């Protein structure tokens, strides 16, 4: 007997890629279970399917930085609950020192749908009851017909997993100028925030103040340093400047929508802008700026 659930959850995360650097991503998760019937004549109650599978995915991968541990460009070490990570990519080297729950260590050379599916299925097999004999996951992108960008960030004031300094999203954006769709501005943000790290200005610190791995050799000319204390611990990150956009406030989707609208209003002073910004799939914020036209 098979049981399926479409659109069970969304996995929001960032991952390390040798070509692109740090990449924010959002995948929809579908699930198909194989097994015998339990005492309720069910493979598994739908409520338990959603709760168990979502909780497991949230616990091992969601809002984390996925690290391909078999990649030659990765170096990492762990002491207690703290992990030091060094990564060389074509867009520059990246360095982190964070609590272990900020990372998902995936035994693969690359982070892709196949590798993450294997990683999640292993975790789920250990969490599901014995009558569930098999599980198939389908991880997929949202199909978009508007421009989008991949961004990574961290929200130190968040009391959940968004506080992790390197998690992200794949997000569409829609801009309206004076009430009309403005695809040129959609493209502008998609280009500006292509594989970007959105850093908060107040989190900036000199890279020399960071407690990174001993082999780290960087300076303030090449890298931005970020550091903050959050409920899960202290998070430190050094990113190549070319992979960052420094934002003068927190990077919640509400403030990012406002930032985009105000930035466009400054570029075109006579126009009114309305921005629909997404945080991954199916959720986001709307903000407006500039003079209204009758």
């Amino acid at each position: 007997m098979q049981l399926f659930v479409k659109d069970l959850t969304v996995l929001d995360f960032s991952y390390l890629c040798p070509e692109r650097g740090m990449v924010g991503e959002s995948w929809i998760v579908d699930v198909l279970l194989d097994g015998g019937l339990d005492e309720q004549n069910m493979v598994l109650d739908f409520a338990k399917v959603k709760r168990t599978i979502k909780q497991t995915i949230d616990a091992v991968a969601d809002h984390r930085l996925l690290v391909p541990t078999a990649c030659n460009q990765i170096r990492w070490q762990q002491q207690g609950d703290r992990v030091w990570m060094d990564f060389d990519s074509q867009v520059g080297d990246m360095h982190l020192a964070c609590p272990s729950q900020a990372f998902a260590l995936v035994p693969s050379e690359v982070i892709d749908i196949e590798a993450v599916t294997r990683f999640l299925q292993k975790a789920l097999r250990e969490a599901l009851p014995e009558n569930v004999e098999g599980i198939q996951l389908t991880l997929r992108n949202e199909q978009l017909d508007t421009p989008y960008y991949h961004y990574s960030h961290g929200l130190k004031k968040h009391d959940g997993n968004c506080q992790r300094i390197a998690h992200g999203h794949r997000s569409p954006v829609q801009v309206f100028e004076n009430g009309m769709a403005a695809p040129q501005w959609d493209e502008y943000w998609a280009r500006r925030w292509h594989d970007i790290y959105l850093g908060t200005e107040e989190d900036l610190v000199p890279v020399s103040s960071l407690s990174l791995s001993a082999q780290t050799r960087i300076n303030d000319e090449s890298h931005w340093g970020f550091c903050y204390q959050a409920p899960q611990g202290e998070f430190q990150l050094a990113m190549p400047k070319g992979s960052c956009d420094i934002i003068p406030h927190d990077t919640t989707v509400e403030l990012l929508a406002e930032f985009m609208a105000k930035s466009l209003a400054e570029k075109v002073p006579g126009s009114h802008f309305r921005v629909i910004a997404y945080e991954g799939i199916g959720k986001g914020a709307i903000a407006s700026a500039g003079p209204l036209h009758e």
Side-chain angles (χ1 to χ4, degrees):
M1 184 68 68
Q2 292 184 314
L3 184 74
F4 68 88
V5 182
K6 298 287 188 181
D7 304 319
L8 185 142
T9 190
V10 173
L11 177 61
D12 289 305
F13 64 99
S14 291
Y15 68 96
L16 296 178
C17 172
E19 291 78 32
R20 297 168 61 186
M22 185 182 291
V23 183
E25 187 59 275
S26 300
W27 288 340
I28 301 166
V29 181
D30 304 325
V31 64
L32 178 67
L33 300 178
D34 286 282
L37 301 182
D38 62 15
E39 66 277 4
Q40 302 178 81
N41 291 317
M42 300 177 177
V43 176
L44 190 62
D45 183 272
F46 278 117
K48 291 182 179 178
V49 171
K50 293 181 179 180
R51 182 172 62 251
T52 301
I53 294 178
K54 179 172 172 31
Q55 286 178 349
T56 302
I57 290 174
D58 288 351
V60 302
D62 192 58
H63 284 73
R64 292 181 181 238
L65 178 65
L66 273 58
V67 179
T69 56
C71 175
N72 291 332
Q73 284 81 16
I74 296 283
R75 299 178 302 280
W76 66 279
Q77 57 181 320
Q78 182 170 353
Q79 294 182 7
D81 190 46
R82 194 157 184 83
V83 171
W84 286 261
M85 186 76 57
D86 301 296
F87 177 61
D88 299 325
S89 78
Q90 292 182 10
V91 299
D93 55 314
M94 304 171 184
H95 309 273
L96 300 99
C98 302
S100 60
Q101 63 262 45
F103 305 96
L105 304 178
V106 181
S108 175
E109 293 183 0
V110 297
I111 298 296
D112 56 15
I113 284 178
E114 182 180 354
V116 178
T117 298
R118 290 195 305 267
F119 178 75
L120 293 178
Q121 286 185 162
K122 182 178 184 297
L124 288 166
R125 280 194 294 269
E126 298 170 359
L128 292 170
E130 291 183 1
N131 68 297
V132 178
E133 299 166 359
I135 179 169
Q136 298 178 44
L137 295 180
T138 300
L139 307 179
R140 55 187 171 89
N141 283 125
E142 179 185 27
Q143 296 300 308
L144 297 172
D145 56 9
T146 58
Y148 59 89
Y149 46 83
H150 299 257
Y151 75 98
S152 301
H153 69 152
L155 301 173
K156 68 175 178 292
K157 298 173 186 174
H158 195 268
D159 58 5
N161 293 335
C162 292
Q163 68 188 263
R164 295 166 181 168
I165 201 168
H167 75 276
H169 314 273
R170 173 185 184 259
S171 299
V173 60
Q174 295 171 283
V175 179
F176 296 84
E177 183 176 1
N178 299 324
M180 302 292 290
Q184 73 276 18
W185 292 119
D186 301 348
E187 290 287 353
Y188 167 81
W189 288 107
R191 290 192 305 270
R192 177 169 171 174
W193 284 353
H194 173 73
D195 295 346
I196 200 73
Y197 185 81
L198 299 180
T200 298
E201 191 172 279
E202 72 176 16
D203 298 335
L204 287 171
V205 298
V207 296
S208 59
S209 71
L210 298 176
S211 301
L212 302 174
S213 61
Q215 64 263 34
T216 304
R217 297 289 183 269
I218 56 174
N219 57 54
D220 291 323
E221 295 298 316
S222 60
H223 285 68
W224 290 118
F226 303 94
C227 180
Y228 58 74
Q229 184 74 33
Q232 291 183 3
E234 184 183 62
F235 294 84
Q236 299 188 13
L237 169 66
M239 287 288 291
K241 288 189 173 181
S243 296
C244 298
D245 199 351
I246 305 302
I247 310 299
H249 45 63
D250 287 343
T251 55
T252 62
V253 69
E254 296 90 341
L255 292 182
L256 290 178
E258 183 179 67
F259 176 82
M260 287 189 273
K262 288 183 174 180
S263 297
L264 293 173
E266 291 174 1
K267 286 180 175 292
V268 189
S271 287
H272 175 264
F273 289 93
R274 181 171 179 260
V275 174
I276 303 174
Y278 286 79
E279 185 184 72
I281 298 171
K283 62 187 188 298
I286 302 171
S288 298
L292 285 168
H293 296 273
E294 297 295 336

